[in-house]
Amino acid sequence: MGILYESVMQQKRNILIKRLSELNISRAQSGKSIDECDYEELKYELVLASFREIDAEAAQNNWF
């Protein structure tokens, strides 16, 4: 692919790695380091981490 595309994807990966690091996540569920994961794996890990952060006991987070 193009140089610009690769550069943008690397920046997007770095943003996700930074967010995961802030949540103290250093390994993916597959066992790989987050530095070795591709963009799609990092997105998946961030979604899982955000679900873990939701406080289910709080009134505003009740779904029904």
Side-chain angles (χ1 to χ4, degrees):
M1 302 228 173
I3 295 171
L4 179 60
Y5 177 80
E6 293 296 328
S7 175
V8 169
M9 289 307 292
Q10 185 60 39
Q11 289 176 351
K12 290 171 87 173
R13 280 186 73 249
N14 290 340
I15 290 169
L16 291 177
I17 289 171
K18 180 181 175 188
R19 287 186 184 169
L20 288 168
S21 295
E22 290 170 353
L23 295 171
N24 296 323
I25 297 174
S26 60
R27 296 228 168 252
Q29 288 196 344
S30 63
K32 293 192 304 188
S33 171
I34 59 171
D35 296 324
E36 298 171 357
C37 294
D38 65 2
Y39 179 70
E40 294 299 320
E41 289 173 309
L42 291 171
K43 284 193 320 185
Y44 177 75
E45 293 299 325
L46 186 60
V47 168
L48 290 178
S50 65
F51 279 134
R52 283 186 224 120
E53 292 293 313
I54 294 174
D55 181 14
E57 300 298 321
Q60 67 267 22
N61 292 333
N62 288 341
W63 292 353
F64 51 91

